[in-house]
Amino acid sequence: MVNVDLKLTRRWMTPALLGLMALGWMPSASAQDKAAGAADHVDAGAAVSSRDGMVALTEQYPAGTIRTVDGANAALDAASKERARIDVELIRQQRICYGKFFVSSCLEKVNGAHRDQSKKIKSIEVEAKTTLRQVRADERDAALADQRAKDLADAPRRAEEQRQNALQNASKVEESARRTAEADARAKVPATSPDQRIAEHEQKVREARARQEAVAKNHAANVAAHDKKVKDAAARQKEVADKKAAKAAAAAQPPAAAPPPATRPAESAAPQK
């Protein structure tokens, strides 16, 4: 019995009193009540501090006021800090309860207060998270609507691009088929004999030689025609120069003297009277 009493009263007994209790002395009921009242006073002060923190949180974030991303993030941060604080306060209050006579009653009261505070914090967290989800959903819907509008606006261009691609693919298919057909046709042509190939080569040589001779003849004719034109032009120039020289020489000679007038024969003598 002495050990139990020592455990229950260790928070308010001095070492001297504990020694007396070990010898069989017990404090009066009034002394125990005073010690319990002092402990209750400390517990009440802590409870007031906890209530003040919770009141500040609920007043800062009343229901229905968390509507933005920044507000929701700030509310979650504040709620997290308040939850950590009441958890620490719960442990401290539980330790105090273990020093009281009615431990179960004290723990029930402390745990109930903690549950009430946790519910208030939970409501703030739920509203903040709901706001964040709604904002993200709105942003996602807006992005999808914007993308749909861009797709509709870009639909003609994409349709034309697909049409051009289809035409190019069809052209490639046709070109491939043509090349395949040509290859098949070449494969079907019988191979020529060596004599035929020699004859074809000689024919090509003769044709090339004839073309060269024709070109040479044309060149000689062109040269002869050009030489004739040059000679004719030189002859015309010489003729013109000779005419100019003759005119110049004629202009430089003095004029010839006029011949004397012809004399008439003397008139016959006058007839005799």
Side-chain angles (χ1 to χ4, degrees), residues 113-128:
H114 183 268
R115 282 193 299 271
D116 293 340
Q117 292 174 341
S118 296
K119 289 180 181 179
K120 294 179 181 178
I121 295 174
K122 184 66 174 179
S123 64
I124 293 174
E125 291 174 339
V126 169
E127 182 176 348

Side-chain angles (χ1 to χ4, degrees), residues 93-269:
Q93 291 291 332
Q94 287 175 344
R95 288 177 179 175
I96 293 174
C97 288
Y98 289 126
K100 294 184 178 181
F101 185 78
F102 297 103
V103 177
S104 298
S105 177
C106 180
L107 290 176
E108 183 178 354
K109 180 179 179 181
V110 169
N111 292 333
H114 183 268
R115 282 193 299 271
D116 293 340
Q117 292 174 341
S118 296
K119 289 180 181 179
K120 294 179 181 178
I121 295 174
K122 184 66 174 179
S123 64
I124 293 174
E125 291 174 339
V126 169
E127 182 176 348
K129 291 178 181 179
T130 301
T131 297
L132 289 177
R133 286 195 298 270
Q134 185 61 44
V135 170
R136 293 192 186 100
D138 293 342
E139 291 177 351
R140 184 173 60 253
D141 293 342
L144 290 175
D146 184 62
Q147 186 61 42
R148 284 195 294 270
K150 289 181 180 179
D151 291 341
L152 289 175
D154 196 45
R157 184 193 64 79
R158 287 188 287 107
E160 178 62 21
E161 186 175 298
Q162 292 175 357
R163 190 181 69 83
Q164 293 294 335
N165 291 336
L167 292 176
Q168 292 177 0
N169 292 334
S171 176
K172 291 179 180 179
V173 171
E174 292 177 357
E175 180 66 17
S176 177
R178 184 183 64 78
R179 292 180 179 178
T180 302
E182 291 178 354
D184 293 341
R186 286 194 299 270
K188 293 178 181 179
V189 175
T192 57
S193 63
D195 294 338
Q196 289 176 337
R197 288 196 295 271
I198 294 173
E200 290 176 356
H201 176 70
E202 292 177 350
Q203 179 65 26
K204 291 180 180 179
V205 170
R206 287 192 295 272
E207 292 175 354
R209 188 176 300 156
R211 286 193 297 270
Q212 291 176 354
E213 291 175 357
V215 170
K217 289 180 180 180
N218 291 334
H219 179 69
N222 292 334
V223 170
H226 179 266
D227 292 342
K228 183 176 181 303
K229 289 181 180 179
V230 171
K231 290 179 181 179
D232 293 344
R236 285 194 298 270
Q237 291 178 355
K238 184 176 181 305
E239 183 180 355
V240 171
D242 292 343
K243 289 181 179 180
K244 288 182 178 180
K247 289 182 179 179
Q253 292 179 0
T263 58
R264 295 180 180 181
E267 295 180 353
S268 61

Side-chain angles (χ1 to χ4, degrees), residues 11-12 33-51 89 92-93 95-97 100 106 109-110:
R11 296 181 60 250
W12 50 272
D33 293 340
K34 288 180 180 180
D40 291 341
H41 178 70
V42 175
D43 298 345
V48 170
S49 176
S50 179
R51 285 195 301 272
E89 182 63 22
R92 197 181 70 83
Q93 291 291 332
R95 288 177 179 175
I96 293 174
C97 288
K100 294 184 178 181
C106 180
K109 180 179 179 181
V110 169

Side-chain angles (χ1 to χ4, degrees), residues 33-89:
D33 293 340
K34 288 180 180 180
D40 291 341
H41 178 70
V42 175
D43 298 345
V48 170
S49 176
S50 179
R51 285 195 301 272
D52 290 342
M54 182 57 60
V55 168
L57 181 65
T58 55
E59 288 182 351
Q60 185 178 1
Y61 300 104
T65 59
I66 304 175
R67 299 175 181 174
T68 63
V69 174
D70 292 339
N73 290 329
L76 289 174
D77 185 61
S80 177
K81 292 179 180 178
E82 183 63 17
R83 184 178 293 281
R85 189 189 67 78
I86 66 172
D87 288 344
V88 172
E89 182 63 22

